[in-house]
Coordinates of all heavy atoms in Angstrom, one line a residue:
M15 N 130.6 110.5 118.5 CA 130.3 110.9 119.9 C 130.3 112.4 119.9 O 131.0 113.1 119.2 CB 131.4 110.4 120.9 CG 131.1 110.7 122.3 SD 132.3 110.0 123.4 CE 131.5 108.7 124.1
A16 N 129.4 113.1 120.7 CA 129.3 114.5 120.8 C 130.6 115.1 121.3 O 131.3 114.6 122.1 CB 128.1 114.9 121.7
E17 N 130.8 116.3 120.8 CA 132.0 117.0 121.2 C 131.9 117.4 122.6 O 130.8 118.0 123.1 CB 132.2 118.3 120.3 CG 133.6 118.8 120.4 CD 133.8 120.0 119.3 OE1 133.4 119.8 118.2 OE2 134.3 121.0 119.7
L18 N 132.9 117.3 123.4 CA 132.9 117.7 124.8 C 133.0 119.1 125.0 O 133.9 119.8 124.3 CB 134.0 116.9 125.6 CG 133.8 115.3 125.7 CD1 135.0 114.8 126.4 CD2 132.5 115.0 126.3
K19 N 132.3 119.7 126.0 CA 132.4 121.2 126.2 C 133.5 121.4 127.2 O 133.7 120.6 128.1 CB 131.1 121.6 126.8 CG 129.9 121.7 125.9 CD 128.7 122.3 126.6 CE 127.6 122.5 125.6 NZ 126.5 123.2 126.2
P20 N 134.1 122.6 127.1 CA 135.1 123.0 128.2 C 134.2 123.2 129.5 O 133.0 123.6 129.4 CB 135.7 124.3 127.7 CG 135.1 124.6 126.3 CD 134.1 123.6 126.0
Y21 N 134.9 123.0 130.6 CA 134.1 123.0 131.9 C 133.4 124.4 132.1 O 132.3 124.5 132.7 CB 135.0 122.7 133.1 CG 135.9 123.8 133.6 CD1 135.5 124.6 134.6 CD2 137.1 124.0 133.0 CE1 136.3 125.7 135.1 CE2 137.9 125.0 133.4 CZ 137.5 125.9 134.5 OH 138.3 126.9 134.9
R22 N 133.9 125.5 131.6 CA 133.3 126.8 131.8 C 132.0 126.9 131.1 O 131.1 127.8 131.4 CB 134.2 127.9 131.3 CG 135.4 128.1 132.1 CD 136.3 129.3 131.6 NE 137.6 129.3 132.1 CZ 137.9 129.9 133.3 NH1 137.0 130.5 134.0 NH2 139.1 129.9 133.8
E23 N 131.7 126.1 130.1 CA 130.5 126.1 129.3 C 129.4 125.2 129.9 O 128.2 125.1 129.5 CB 130.7 125.8 127.9 CG 131.5 126.8 127.1 CD 131.7 126.5 125.7 OE1 130.9 125.7 125.1 OE2 132.7 127.0 125.1
I24 N 129.8 124.4 130.9 CA 128.8 123.4 131.5 C 128.0 124.1 132.6 O 128.6 124.8 133.4 CB 129.6 122.2 132.1 CG1 130.3 121.5 131.0 CG2 128.6 121.3 132.9 CD1 131.2 120.3 131.5
P25 N 126.7 124.0 132.5 CA 125.9 124.7 133.5 C 126.2 124.2 135.0 O 126.5 123.1 135.1 CB 124.4 124.3 133.2 CG 124.5 123.7 131.9 CD 125.9 123.2 131.6
I26 N 126.1 125.2 135.9 CA 126.4 124.8 137.3 C 125.5 123.6 137.7 O 124.3 123.6 137.5 CB 126.2 126.1 138.2 CG1 127.2 127.1 137.9 CG2 126.2 125.7 139.7 CD1 126.9 128.5 138.5
G27 N 126.1 122.7 138.3 CA 125.4 121.5 138.7 C 125.1 120.5 137.6 O 124.4 119.5 137.8
G28 N 125.5 120.9 136.4 CA 125.3 120.0 135.2 C 123.8 119.9 134.9 O 123.3 119.0 134.3
R29 N 123.0 120.9 135.4 CA 121.5 120.9 135.2 C 121.2 120.9 133.7 O 122.0 121.5 132.8 CB 120.9 122.1 135.9 CG 121.1 123.4 135.3 CD 120.5 124.5 136.1 NE 120.7 125.8 135.4 CZ 121.8 126.5 135.5 NH1 122.8 126.1 136.3 NH2 121.9 127.7 134.9
I30 N 120.0 120.4 133.3 CA 119.5 120.4 132.0 C 118.8 121.6 131.7 O 117.8 122.0 132.4 CB 118.7 119.1 131.8 CG1 119.5 117.9 131.9 CG2 118.0 119.2 130.4 CD1 118.7 116.6 132.0
E31 N 119.2 122.4 130.7 CA 118.6 123.7 130.6 C 117.5 123.7 129.6 O 116.7 124.6 129.6 CB 119.7 124.7 130.1 CG 120.8 124.9 131.1 CD 121.8 126.0 130.7 OE1 122.2 126.0 129.5 OE2 122.2 126.8 131.6
K32 N 117.4 122.7 128.8 CA 116.3 122.6 127.8 C 115.6 121.3 127.9 O 116.3 120.2 127.8 CB 116.9 122.8 126.4 CG 115.9 123.1 125.3 CD 116.6 123.3 124.0 CE 116.0 122.3 123.0 NZ 116.9 122.1 121.9
A33 N 114.3 121.3 128.2 CA 113.6 120.0 128.4 C 113.3 119.3 127.1 O 113.3 120.0 126.0 CB 112.3 120.3 129.1
G34 N 113.2 118.0 127.1 CA 112.8 117.3 125.9 C 113.9 117.3 124.9 O 113.6 117.3 123.7
N35 N 115.1 117.2 125.3 CA 116.2 117.2 124.3 C 116.9 115.9 124.1 O 117.9 115.8 123.4 CB 117.3 118.2 124.7 CG 117.9 117.8 126.1 OD1 117.6 116.8 126.6 ND2 118.8 118.7 126.6
S36 N 116.3 114.8 124.5 CA 117.0 113.5 124.4 C 117.2 113.1 123.0 O 118.2 112.4 122.7 CB 116.1 112.4 125.2 OG 114.9 112.3 124.5
E37 N 116.4 113.5 122.0 CA 116.6 113.1 120.6 C 117.9 113.6 120.1 O 118.5 113.1 119.1 CB 115.4 113.6 119.8 CG 114.2 112.7 119.9 CD 113.2 113.0 118.9 OE1 113.4 113.8 118.0 OE2 112.0 112.5 119.1
E38 N 118.4 114.7 120.7 CA 119.7 115.3 120.2 C 120.9 114.5 120.6 O 121.9 114.7 120.0 CB 119.8 116.7 120.8 CG 118.8 117.7 120.3 CD 118.9 119.0 121.0 OE1 119.9 119.4 121.6 OE2 117.8 119.8 121.0
F39 N 120.7 113.6 121.5 CA 121.8 112.8 122.1 C 121.8 111.4 121.6 O 121.0 110.6 122.1 CB 121.9 112.9 123.6 CG 122.0 114.3 124.0 CD1 121.0 115.0 124.4 CD2 123.3 114.9 124.0 CE1 121.1 116.4 124.8 CE2 123.5 116.3 124.3 CZ 122.4 117.0 124.8
K40 N 122.5 111.1 120.5 CA 122.5 109.8 119.9 C 123.4 108.9 120.8 O 124.6 109.1 120.8 CB 122.9 109.8 118.5 CG 121.9 110.6 117.7 CD 122.1 110.6 116.2 CE 120.9 111.3 115.6 NZ 121.1 111.4 114.1
T41 N 122.8 107.9 121.4 CA 123.5 107.1 122.4 C 123.9 105.8 121.8 O 124.4 104.9 122.5 CB 122.6 106.9 123.7 OG1 121.4 106.5 123.2 CG2 122.5 108.2 124.5
G42 N 123.7 105.6 120.5 CA 123.9 104.3 119.9 C 125.4 103.9 119.9 O 125.7 102.7 119.8
D43 N 126.3 104.9 120.0 CA 127.7 104.5 119.9 C 128.2 103.9 121.3 O 129.4 103.7 121.3 CB 128.6 105.7 119.4 CG 128.4 106.9 120.2 OD1 127.7 106.9 121.2 OD2 129.1 107.9 119.9
W44 N 127.4 103.8 122.2 CA 127.8 103.2 123.5 C 127.8 101.6 123.4 O 128.5 101.0 124.2 CB 126.7 103.5 124.6 CG 126.6 104.9 124.9 CD1 127.2 106.0 124.4 CD2 125.8 105.4 126.0 NE1 126.8 107.1 125.0 CE2 125.9 106.8 126.0 CE3 125.0 104.8 127.0 CZ2 125.3 107.6 126.9 CZ3 124.3 105.7 127.9 CH2 124.5 107.1 127.8
K45 N 127.2 101.1 122.4 CA 127.0 99.6 122.4 C 128.2 98.8 122.0 O 129.0 99.3 121.1 CB 125.7 99.2 121.6 CG 125.8 99.5 120.1 CD 124.5 99.1 119.5 CE 124.3 99.7 118.1 NZ 124.3 101.1 118.1
T46 N 128.3 97.6 122.4 CA 129.3 96.6 122.0 C 128.7 95.6 121.1 O 129.3 95.2 120.1 CB 129.9 95.9 123.2 OG1 130.3 96.9 124.2 CG2 131.1 95.0 122.9
F47 N 127.4 95.3 121.3 CA 126.7 94.4 120.5 C 125.5 95.1 119.9 O 124.9 96.0 120.5 CB 126.2 93.2 121.3 CG 127.2 92.3 121.8 CD1 127.9 92.5 123.0 CD2 127.6 91.1 121.1 CE1 128.9 91.7 123.4 CE2 128.6 90.3 121.5 CZ 129.3 90.5 122.7
K48 N 125.2 94.7 118.6 CA 124.0 95.3 118.0 C 123.0 94.2 117.6 O 123.4 93.1 117.3 CB 124.4 96.1 116.8 CG 124.9 95.3 115.6 CD 125.2 96.2 114.4 CE 125.7 95.4 113.3 NZ 126.0 96.2 112.1
P49 N 121.7 94.5 117.7 CA 120.7 93.6 117.3 C 120.6 93.5 115.8 O 120.4 94.5 115.1 CB 119.5 94.1 118.0 CG 119.7 95.6 118.1 CD 121.1 95.8 118.2
V50 N 120.7 92.3 115.3 CA 120.4 92.0 113.9 C 119.1 91.3 113.8 O 118.9 90.2 114.3 CB 121.6 91.2 113.3 CG1 121.3 91.0 111.8 CG2 122.9 91.9 113.5
W51 N 118.2 92.0 113.1 CA 116.8 91.6 113.0 C 116.5 90.9 111.7 O 116.9 91.4 110.6 CB 115.9 92.8 113.2 CG 114.5 92.6 113.0 CD1 113.6 91.7 113.6 CD2 113.6 93.4 112.1 NE1 112.3 91.9 113.2 CE2 112.3 92.9 112.3 CE3 113.8 94.4 111.3 CZ2 111.2 93.4 111.6 CZ3 112.8 94.9 110.5 CH2 111.5 94.5 110.7
N52 N 115.9 89.7 111.8 CA 115.5 89.0 110.6 C 113.9 89.3 110.3 O 113.1 88.7 111.0 CB 115.7 87.5 110.8 CG 115.3 86.7 109.6 OD1 114.5 87.1 108.7 ND2 115.8 85.5 109.5
S53 N 113.7 90.2 109.5 CA 112.3 90.7 109.2 C 111.4 89.6 108.6 O 110.2 89.6 108.9 CB 112.3 91.9 108.3 OG 112.9 91.6 107.1
E54 N 112.0 88.6 108.0 CA 111.2 87.5 107.4 C 110.6 86.6 108.5 O 109.6 86.0 108.3 CB 112.0 86.8 106.4 CG 112.3 87.6 105.1 CD 113.1 87.0 104.1 OE1 113.4 85.8 104.2 OE2 113.5 87.7 103.1
K55 N 111.4 86.4 109.5 CA 110.9 85.5 110.6 C 110.0 86.2 111.6 O 109.3 85.6 112.3 CB 112.1 85.0 111.4 CG 112.6 83.6 110.8 CD 113.8 83.1 111.6 CE 113.5 82.5 112.9 NZ 114.7 82.1 113.7
C56 N 110.1 87.6 111.6 CA 109.3 88.4 112.6 C 107.8 88.2 112.4 O 107.3 88.3 111.2 CB 109.7 89.8 112.4 SG 108.8 90.9 113.5
T57 N 107.1 88.0 113.5 CA 105.7 87.8 113.4 C 104.9 89.1 113.8 O 103.7 89.0 113.9 CB 105.2 86.7 114.3 OG1 105.6 87.0 115.7 CG2 105.8 85.3 114.0
N58 N 105.7 90.2 114.1 CA 105.0 91.4 114.5 C 104.2 91.2 115.7 O 103.1 91.8 115.9 CB 104.2 92.0 113.3 CG 105.1 92.5 112.2 OD1 105.9 93.4 112.4 ND2 105.0 91.9 111.0
C59 N 104.7 90.5 116.7 CA 104.0 90.3 117.9 C 104.0 91.6 118.8 O 103.2 91.6 119.8 CB 104.6 89.1 118.7 SG 106.3 89.5 119.3
M60 N 104.9 92.5 118.5 CA 105.0 93.7 119.3 C 105.6 93.6 120.7 O 105.4 94.5 121.5 CB 103.7 94.5 119.3 CG 103.2 94.9 118.0 SD 104.3 96.0 117.2 CE 104.7 95.2 115.7
V61 N 106.2 92.5 121.0 CA 106.8 92.4 122.3 C 108.1 93.2 122.4 O 108.3 94.0 123.4 CB 107.2 90.9 122.6 CG1 108.0 90.8 123.9 CG2 105.9 90.1 122.8
C62 N 109.0 93.2 121.4 CA 110.2 93.9 121.5 C 110.0 95.4 121.5 O 110.7 96.1 122.3 CB 111.2 93.4 120.5 SG 110.8 93.7 118.8
P63 N 109.2 96.0 120.6 CA 109.0 97.4 120.7 C 108.5 97.9 122.1 O 108.9 99.0 122.6 CB 108.0 97.8 119.7 CG 108.0 96.6 118.7 CD 108.4 95.4 119.6
V64 N 107.7 97.1 122.7 CA 107.2 97.5 124.0 C 108.2 97.4 125.1 O 108.3 98.3 126.0 CB 105.9 96.6 124.4 CG1 105.5 96.8 125.8 CG2 104.8 96.9 123.5
L65 N 109.1 96.4 125.1 CA 110.1 96.2 126.1 C 111.4 96.9 125.9 O 112.2 96.9 126.8 CB 110.3 94.7 126.3 CG 109.0 94.0 126.9 CD1 109.3 92.5 127.1 CD2 108.5 94.5 128.2
C66 N 111.7 97.4 124.7 CA 112.9 98.1 124.5 C 113.0 99.3 125.4 O 112.2 100.2 125.4 CB 113.0 98.5 123.0 SG 114.5 99.6 122.7
P67 N 114.1 99.4 126.3 CA 114.1 100.5 127.2 C 114.5 101.8 126.6 O 114.3 102.9 127.1 CB 115.3 100.0 128.1 CG 116.1 99.0 127.4 CD 115.1 98.4 126.5
E68 N 115.0 101.7 125.3 CA 115.4 103.0 124.6 C 114.2 103.5 123.7 O 114.4 104.5 123.0 CB 116.6 102.8 123.8 CG 117.8 102.5 124.7 CD 118.0 103.5 125.8 OE1 117.8 104.7 125.6 OE2 118.3 103.1 126.9
D69 N 113.2 102.7 123.5 CA 112.1 103.0 122.6 C 112.6 103.3 121.2 O 112.2 104.2 120.5 CB 111.3 104.2 123.1 CG 110.0 104.4 122.4 OD1 109.5 103.4 121.9 OD2 109.4 105.5 122.4
C70 N 113.6 102.4 120.8 CA 114.3 102.7 119.5 C 113.9 101.6 118.5 O 114.6 101.4 117.4 CB 115.7 102.8 119.6 SG 116.5 101.3 120.2
I71 N 112.8 100.9 118.7 CA 112.2 100.0 117.7 C 110.9 100.6 117.1 O 109.9 100.5 117.8 CB 112.0 98.6 118.3 CG1 113.3 98.0 118.9 CG2 111.4 97.6 117.2 CD1 113.1 96.7 119.6
P72 N 111.0 101.2 116.0 CA 109.8 101.9 115.4 C 108.7 100.9 115.0 O 109.0 99.8 114.7 CB 110.4 102.6 114.2 CG 111.8 102.4 114.1 CD 112.2 101.3 115.1
V73 N 107.5 101.4 115.1 CA 106.3 100.6 114.7 C 105.5 101.4 113.8 O 105.2 102.6 114.1 CB 105.5 100.2 116.0 CG1 104.2 99.5 115.6 CG2 106.3 99.3 116.9
E74 N 105.1 100.8 112.7 CA 104.2 101.5 111.7 C 102.8 101.2 112.3 O 102.4 100.0 112.3 CB 104.4 100.9 110.3 CG 103.7 101.7 109.3 CD 104.0 101.0 108.0 OE1 105.1 101.2 107.4 OE2 103.1 100.3 107.4
K75 N 102.1 102.2 112.6 CA 100.8 102.0 113.2 C 99.8 101.7 112.2 O 99.9 102.0 111.0 CB 100.3 103.3 114.0 CG 101.2 103.5 115.2 CD 100.7 104.8 115.9 CE 101.7 105.0 117.1 NZ 101.7 106.4 117.5
G76 N 98.7 101.0 112.6 CA 97.6 100.6 111.7 C 96.8 99.6 112.4 O 97.0 99.2 113.6
E77 N 95.8 99.0 111.6 CA 95.0 98.0 112.2 C 95.8 96.8 112.7 O 95.6 96.2 113.7 CB 94.0 97.5 111.1 CG 92.8 96.8 111.7 CD 91.8 96.5 110.6 OE1 91.4 97.4 109.8 OE2 91.4 95.3 110.5
K78 N 96.9 96.4 111.9 CA 97.9 95.4 112.3 C 99.2 96.1 112.4 O 99.8 96.4 111.3 CB 97.8 94.3 111.4 CG 98.6 93.1 111.9 CD 98.4 91.8 111.0 CE 99.0 90.6 111.6 NZ 100.4 90.7 111.9
P79 N 99.7 96.5 113.5 CA 101.0 97.2 113.6 C 102.1 96.4 113.0 O 102.2 95.2 113.1 CB 101.2 97.5 115.1 CG 99.9 97.1 115.7 CD 99.2 96.3 114.8
V80 N 103.1 97.1 112.4 CA 104.3 96.4 111.8 C 105.6 97.0 112.4 O 105.8 98.2 112.4 CB 104.2 96.7 110.2 CG1 105.5 96.0 109.6 CG2 103.0 96.2 109.6
R81 N 106.4 96.0 112.8 CA 107.7 96.4 113.4 C 108.6 96.9 112.3 O 108.7 96.3 111.2 CB 108.3 95.2 114.1 CG 109.6 95.5 114.8 CD 110.5 94.3 114.8 NE 111.6 94.3 115.8 CZ 112.8 94.8 115.5 NH1 113.1 95.4 114.4 NH2 113.7 94.7 116.4
K82 N 109.4 97.9 112.5 CA 110.3 98.4 111.5 C 111.7 98.1 112.0 O 112.0 97.7 113.1 CB 110.1 99.9 111.1 CG 108.7 100.2 110.8 CD 108.1 99.4 109.6 CE 108.5 100.0 108.3 NZ 107.8 99.2 107.2
E83 N 112.7 98.5 111.2 CA 114.1 98.3 111.5 C 114.5 99.1 112.7 O 114.1 100.2 112.9 CB 115.0 98.6 110.3 CG 116.5 98.4 110.5 CD 116.8 96.9 110.8 OE1 117.0 96.1 109.9 OE2 116.9 96.6 112.0
T84 N 115.3 98.5 113.6 CA 115.8 99.1 114.8 C 116.6 100.4 114.5 O 117.3 100.5 113.5 CB 116.8 98.2 115.6 OG1 116.1 96.9 115.8 CG2 117.2 98.8 116.9
D85 N 116.3 101.5 115.2 CA 117.1 102.7 115.0 C 118.4 102.6 115.8 O 118.4 102.8 117.1 CB 116.2 103.9 115.5 CG 116.9 105.2 115.2 OD1 118.1 105.3 114.9 OD2 116.2 106.3 115.3
L86 N 119.4 102.3 115.2 CA 120.8 102.0 115.8 C 121.4 103.3 116.3 O 122.3 103.2 117.1 CB 121.7 101.2 114.9 CG 121.2 99.8 114.5 CD1 122.1 99.2 113.5 CD2 121.2 98.9 115.7
D87 N 120.9 104.4 116.0 CA 121.4 105.7 116.5 C 121.2 105.8 118.0 O 121.9 106.5 118.7 CB 120.8 106.9 115.8 CG 121.4 107.2 114.5 OD1 122.4 106.6 114.1 OD2 120.8 108.0 113.7
Y88 N 120.1 105.1 118.5 CA 119.8 105.2 119.9 C 119.9 103.9 120.6 O 119.8 103.8 121.8 CB 118.4 105.7 120.0 CG 118.2 107.1 119.4 CD1 117.7 107.3 118.2 CD2 118.7 108.3 120.1 CE1 117.6 108.6 117.6 CE2 118.6 109.5 119.6 CZ 118.1 109.7 118.3 OH 118.0 110.9 117.8
C89 N 119.9 102.7 119.9 CA 120.0 101.4 120.5 C 121.3 101.3 121.3 O 122.4 101.6 120.8 CB 120.0 100.3 119.5 SG 120.5 98.7 120.0
K90 N 121.2 100.9 122.6 CA 122.4 100.7 123.4 C 123.0 99.3 123.5 O 123.8 99.0 124.2 CB 122.1 101.3 124.8 CG 122.0 102.7 124.9 CD 121.7 103.2 126.3 CE 121.4 104.7 126.3 NZ 120.6 105.1 127.5
G91 N 122.3 98.4 122.7 CA 122.8 97.0 122.7 C 122.6 96.2 123.9 O 123.4 95.3 124.2
C92 N 121.5 96.5 124.7 CA 121.3 95.8 125.9 C 120.9 94.3 125.7 O 121.1 93.5 126.6 CB 120.2 96.4 126.7 SG 118.5 96.4 125.9
G93 N 120.3 94.0 124.5 CA 119.9 92.6 124.2 C 118.6 92.1 124.7 O 118.3 91.0 124.5
I94 N 117.8 93.0 125.3 CA 116.5 92.6 125.8 C 115.6 92.1 124.7 O 115.0 91.1 124.8 CB 115.8 93.8 126.5 CG1 116.6 94.0 127.9 CG2 114.3 93.5 126.8 CD1 116.1 95.2 128.7
C95 N 115.7 92.9 123.5 CA 114.8 92.5 122.4 C 115.1 91.0 121.9 O 114.2 90.3 121.7 CB 115.0 93.5 121.2 SG 116.7 93.7 120.7
A96 N 116.4 90.7 121.9 CA 116.8 89.3 121.5 C 116.3 88.3 122.5 O 115.9 87.2 122.1 CB 118.3 89.3 121.3
Q97 N 116.4 88.6 123.8 CA 116.0 87.8 124.8 C 114.5 87.5 124.8 O 114.0 86.3 125.0 CB 116.4 88.3 126.2 CG 117.8 88.1 126.6 CD 118.1 86.7 126.9 OE1 117.4 86.0 127.6 NE2 119.2 86.2 126.4
V98 N 113.7 88.5 124.6 CA 112.2 88.3 124.7 C 111.5 87.9 123.4 O 110.4 87.5 123.5 CB 111.6 89.7 125.2 CG1 112.1 90.0 126.6 CG2 111.7 90.8 124.2
C99 N 112.2 88.0 122.3 CA 111.6 87.6 121.0 C 111.1 86.1 121.0 O 112.0 85.3 121.2 CB 112.5 87.9 119.8 SG 111.8 87.4 118.3
P100 N 109.8 85.9 120.9 CA 109.4 84.5 121.0 C 109.8 83.6 119.8 O 109.8 82.4 120.0 CB 107.8 84.6 121.0 CG 107.5 86.0 120.5 CD 108.7 86.8 120.7
V101 N 110.1 84.2 118.7 CA 110.6 83.4 117.5 C 112.0 83.5 117.3 O 112.6 83.0 116.3 CB 109.7 83.7 116.3 CG1 108.3 83.4 116.4 CG2 109.9 85.2 115.9
K102 N 112.8 84.2 118.2 CA 114.2 84.3 118.1 C 114.7 84.8 116.8 O 115.5 84.2 116.1 CB 114.9 82.9 118.5 CG 114.6 82.4 119.8 CD 115.2 83.3 120.9 CE 114.8 83.0 122.3 NZ 114.7 84.1 123.2
C103 N 114.1 85.9 116.3 CA 114.6 86.4 115.0 C 115.5 87.6 115.2 O 115.7 88.4 114.3 CB 113.4 86.7 114.2 SG 112.3 88.0 114.7
I104 N 116.0 87.8 116.4 CA 117.0 88.9 116.7 C 118.2 88.3 117.3 O 118.1 87.5 118.2 CB 116.4 90.0 117.6 CG1 115.1 90.6 117.2 CG2 117.5 91.1 117.8 CD1 114.4 91.4 118.2
E105 N 119.4 88.6 116.6 CA 120.6 88.0 117.1 C 121.5 89.2 117.4 O 121.7 90.1 116.7 CB 121.2 87.2 115.9 CG 122.4 86.4 116.4 CD 123.1 85.6 115.2 OE1 122.4 85.5 114.1 OE2 124.2 85.2 115.3
M106 N 122.1 89.1 118.6 CA 123.1 90.1 119.0 C 124.5 89.8 118.4 O 125.0 88.7 118.7 CB 123.2 90.2 120.6 CG 121.9 90.5 121.3 SD 121.1 92.1 120.7 CE 122.2 93.3 121.3
K107 N 125.0 90.7 117.7 CA 126.3 90.5 117.0 C 127.2 91.7 117.5 O 126.8 92.8 117.6 CB 126.1 90.6 115.5 CG 125.4 89.3 115.0 CD 125.7 89.1 113.5 CE 125.1 87.8 113.1 NZ 125.1 87.6 111.6
K108 N 128.5 91.2 117.6 CA 129.5 92.2 118.1 C 129.7 93.2 116.9 O 129.8 92.9 115.8 CB 130.8 91.5 118.4 CG 131.7 92.3 119.3 CD 132.7 91.5 120.1 CE 133.3 92.4 121.1 NZ 134.2 91.7 122.0
G109 N 129.8 94.5 117.3 CA 130.1 95.5 116.3 C 129.1 96.7 116.5 O 128.1 96.5 117.2
D110 N 129.5 97.9 116.0 CA 128.6 99.0 116.2 C 127.7 99.2 114.9 O 127.7 98.4 114.0 CB 129.4 100.3 116.5 CG 130.3 100.7 115.4 OD1 130.1 100.3 114.2 OD2 131.3 101.3 115.6
A111 N 127.1 100.3 114.9 CA 126.1 100.5 113.8 C 126.6 100.6 112.4 O 125.9 100.3 111.5 CB 125.3 101.8 114.1
D112 N 127.9 100.9 112.3 CA 128.5 101.1 111.0 C 129.1 99.9 110.4 O 129.6 99.9 109.3 CB 129.5 102.2 111.0 CG 128.9 103.5 111.5 OD1 127.8 103.8 111.2 OD2 129.6 104.2 112.3
E113 N 129.2 98.8 111.2 CA 129.8 97.6 110.7 C 128.8 96.6 110.0 O 127.7 96.7 110.2 CB 130.5 96.9 111.8 CG 131.7 97.7 112.3 CD 132.3 97.0 113.6 OE1 132.1 95.9 113.9 OE2 133.0 97.8 114.3
Ligands
SF4_27 S1 119.3 95.9 122.1 FE1 118.2 96.9 123.8 S2 118.2 99.1 123.2 FE2 118.7 98.0 121.4 S3 116.8 97.6 120.3 FE3 117.2 95.8 121.6 S4 116.0 96.3 123.5 FE4 116.3 98.2 122.4
SF4_28 S1 109.6 90.2 119.5 FE1 110.4 89.2 117.6 S2 108.6 88.5 116.5 FE2 108.0 90.1 118.0 S3 108.0 92.0 116.9 FE3 110.0 91.8 117.9 S4 111.3 90.8 116.4 FE4 109.2 90.5 115.7

């Protein structure tokens, strides 16, 4: 988790001083469950990368796009990907990214 700032260093109103900084904030340690993806069963239907609210399921672009491993640094463990996968190749398991 990011180091907390003393209150004197926090901008007035908590405003964001630098735009486009979301990549600096790794939110993956918020999750209780993590998605475990079975790449062999995956049909690359592209449903989960589109519906992931964190945009943390990378896709290799090309004539036939290919889903890549979830970026657990940003995944919040919401489980939407597991719910929507038509072939049920994502299982939500308890534990964080390092387990
Ligand atoms: S659990 Fe949620 S945030 Fe994580 S990859 Fe799946 S849809 Fe995205
Ligand atoms: S929804 Fe399931 S089958 Fe489709 S890309 Fe995601 S993991 Fe693969």
Side-chain angles (χ1 to χ4, degrees):
M15 187 179 255
E17 196 174 314
L18 296 177
K19 287 183 175 187
Y21 80 93
R22 287 179 194 279
E23 291 179 26
I24 297 173
I26 293 171
R29 70 184 184 278
I30 296 169
E31 296 185 315
K32 193 176 124 204
N35 62 0
S36 61
E37 281 188 15
E38 293 172 23
F39 299 98
K40 297 191 173 174
T41 49
D43 57 0
W44 296 6
K45 66 181 159 302
T46 306
F47 290 85
K48 69 175 176 179
V50 177
W51 172 55
N52 182 339
S53 60
E54 288 177 12
K55 269 179 77 183
C56 175
T57 60
N58 291 300
C59 70
M60 295 301 122
V61 169
C62 66
V64 169
L65 293 180
C66 171
E68 298 307 318
D69 196 20
C70 65
I71 302 175
V73 172
E74 191 178 288
K75 290 180 185 157
E77 200 172 310
K78 192 172 185 306
V80 177
R81 183 211 199 272
K82 308 305 278 184
E83 185 57 88
T84 306
D85 187 343
L86 295 174
D87 280 348
Y88 299 99
C89 166
K90 290 180 186 161
C92 67
I94 289 175
C95 53
Q97 280 289 318
V98 298
C99 176
V101 295
K102 298 293 171 211
C103 66
I104 304 170
E105 188 183 346
M106 298 305 291
K107 290 200 171 165
K108 201 157 191 176
D110 64 25
D112 302 323
E113 291 175 18

